[in-house]
Amino acid sequence: MTHRSASAARSGKRARLDARLSDAGLAVAVALVIAVVIAADPDGRASLGGYLCAAGFGLILLLRRRFPRLILAITILGIFAYYAAGFPPIGMVLPAVGALYSAAEMRRTGWAVGAASVLIAVASFYRMDGTEPEAELNGYTFVTELALAAAAIALGAAVRLTREARERSAQIADLTAAEEAHAADARMHAERVRIARDLHDTIGHTLSVASLHAGVAAEATGRDDEAVRTALDRVRAAMSDALRELRRTVKVLRDDTATPMPVLGLAALDPLFAAAREAGLHVETELDVASDALSPAVDATAYRTVQEALTNVLRHADATTVHVTARAEHGLLALRIVDDGRGSAASGSGTGAGIRGMRERVALLGGTVTARAAPGGFAVTVEIPVQAGGEA
């Protein structure tokens, strides 16, 4: 059982105990009040039967939550039986106060109003026949009983409305907490996806370059020591870059006060092109985009897209040439990375992790990615609104 479910179970038990205690308190209060009125009878007609009836009017309220209408009906019949037995007068409404209150509290307000009307009508009828001068109908007794019945019904309705308002507030609080938790989970998932993309793009690209140089070194071993040393130096440099990127990312994740990772853009592509050229790839570029034409998010996404495309070419395509073009026309940034390798065989479906990462990044900015085989190689085409905002 979770902490929340255990807490809810304890709250439920406490609520049931409180309800039983309040029912018992109401029952005792009604019985005592009726007993006091019987004992105060000026004619001294108090008897054990009357006190038993008082106890009965109280005890029946212990079942008020389960059977509010039945309790109301039994109480009215009990009042009639009480007077038929000749016990001291206690008023018609007083014994029914608890039942009227309970009916109103349990959403039976109409029944409570009807029962009160019956009691007041019966009391008024018997006081108007003149057989008992001391019980003759007058304005004071009528208003007193009417006010007593109205107060009991109003109090029950007020208690019910207060309880319902409290329950609605608790439900709203629970829904708000659940919504906040869901939003927090969504933010955490989005952040994890972003970190996964960044690590895949930066570390994956660098390690691909290092792997190619390591292959060159392996092939040149024993034949060209200078080529081996050059390749190993480039491997060492690439691995240093990868470790530096990894440390920076981990530092940002661990420390909220750490300096944020720099946002890269199209202007920072030269090191990527240089690394690809050092790996033996002939890179041709045609970048016709002004530095201030793109929003920061679009600029960073364009950088990551080109980086991932070059990584795929180095890793899978076995290409010798790649052509990168970038243009900003009609409110759209158009990127196209075309190679002359066998990318169509390796990843022509466009469903690899790299292509998926591209599509996720670009989709956040309202753009599209097309990755498919091209004549003599493979082409990645990207279109993004130049001033789109959002997460890079």
Side-chain angles (χ1 to χ4, degrees):
M1 181 181 294
T2 63
H3 175 72
R4 179 175 296 180
S5 61
S7 177
R10 288 195 296 269
S11 298
K13 290 181 180 179
R14 191 182 308 113
R16 289 191 293 271
L17 178 60
D18 292 343
R20 287 195 291 267
L21 291 176
S22 64
D23 291 348
L26 179 63
V28 171
V30 169
L32 286 177
V33 170
I34 297 175
V36 168
V37 174
I38 293 174
D41 180 56
D43 296 333
R45 289 176 291 179
S47 64
L48 178 61
Y51 292 126
L52 290 176
C53 287
F57 285 128
L59 288 174
I60 198 173
L61 293 177
L62 295 176
L63 301 176
R64 69 187 189 90
R65 296 180 187 274
R66 298 180 60 186
F67 312 106
R69 288 178 292 188
L70 179 61
I71 298 305
L72 192 60
I74 292 176
T75 299
I76 293 175
L77 294 176
I79 293 172
F80 294 159
Y82 176 89
Y83 279 103
F87 294 126
I90 54 176
M92 292 293 285
V93 174
L94 179 62
V97 165
L100 294 174
Y101 165 83
S102 301
E105 185 189 6
M106 297 294 113
R107 291 178 170 272
R108 303 294 185 269
T109 306
W111 283 74
V113 172
S117 300
V118 169
L119 291 174
I120 293 174
V122 171
S124 300
F125 174 78
Y126 279 103
R127 283 173 175 164
M128 286 189 298
D129 65 0
T131 55
E132 297 185 18
E134 68 279 7
E136 183 178 356
L137 179 66
N138 55 62
Y140 175 78
T141 56
F142 179 80
V143 170
T144 299
E145 293 200 340
L146 181 61
L148 188 60
I153 295 173
L155 181 60
V159 170
R160 171 175 54 82
L161 292 175
T162 301
R163 182 178 64 247
E164 291 175 351
R166 191 184 307 116
E167 291 173 352
R168 283 195 295 271
S169 298
Q171 291 174 353
I172 292 173
D174 291 341
L175 290 175
T176 302
E179 184 177 357
E180 291 176 351
H182 179 72
D185 290 341
R187 288 193 299 270
M188 181 177 295
H189 176 71
E191 184 65 12
R192 289 174 61 187
V193 171
R194 186 190 67 81
I195 293 170
R197 286 197 303 263
D198 286 347
L199 288 177
H200 179 276
D201 293 347
T202 57
I203 307 303
H205 173 78
T206 308
L207 293 180
S208 295
V209 173
S211 176
L212 285 174
H213 287 303
V216 171
E219 292 177 0
T221 299
R223 294 186 294 105
D224 189 344
D225 292 340
E226 183 62 28
V228 172
R229 282 193 295 269
T230 300
L232 291 178
D233 287 341
R234 289 173 177 172
V235 170
R236 187 182 302 108
M239 296 305 294
S240 297
D241 290 341
L243 289 173
R244 186 164 50 252
E245 288 286 344
L246 184 59
R247 291 192 186 104
R248 184 184 301 157
T249 302
V250 172
K251 184 177 181 181
V252 171
L253 292 177
R254 286 181 173 175
D255 186 2
D256 292 337
T257 63
T259 302
M261 296 179 64
V263 177
L264 302 174
L266 291 179
L269 285 174
D270 287 343
L272 291 182
F273 296 151
R277 291 186 180 106
E278 290 176 354
L281 187 64
H282 179 65
V283 181
E284 299 176 353
T285 62
E286 187 179 348
L287 307 180
D288 186 16
V289 181
S291 59
D292 58 349
L294 308 178
S295 70
V298 173
D299 203 16
T301 297
Y303 175 91
R304 294 300 189 192
T305 300
V306 174
Q307 181 186 49
E308 179 56 34
L310 289 176
T311 300
N312 286 343
V313 171
L314 291 171
R315 185 182 298 167
H316 304 299
D318 194 22
T320 59
T321 302
V322 62
H323 190 76
V324 180
T325 60
R327 291 187 178 87
E329 298 176 338
H330 309 297
L332 289 176
L333 170 66
L335 290 174
R336 185 171 173 83
I337 302 95
V338 183
D339 66 77
D340 62 353
R342 53 179 180 84
S344 58
S347 56
S349 62
T351 58
I355 299 298
R356 184 170 63 249
M358 288 186 202
R359 290 197 171 113
E360 289 173 353
R361 285 182 183 278
V362 173
L364 289 174
L365 301 177
T368 59
V369 175
T370 303
R372 60 165 63 101
F378 195 77
V380 175
T381 304
V382 179
E383 291 186 346
I384 315 173
V386 294
Q387 291 300 322
E391 183 183 339

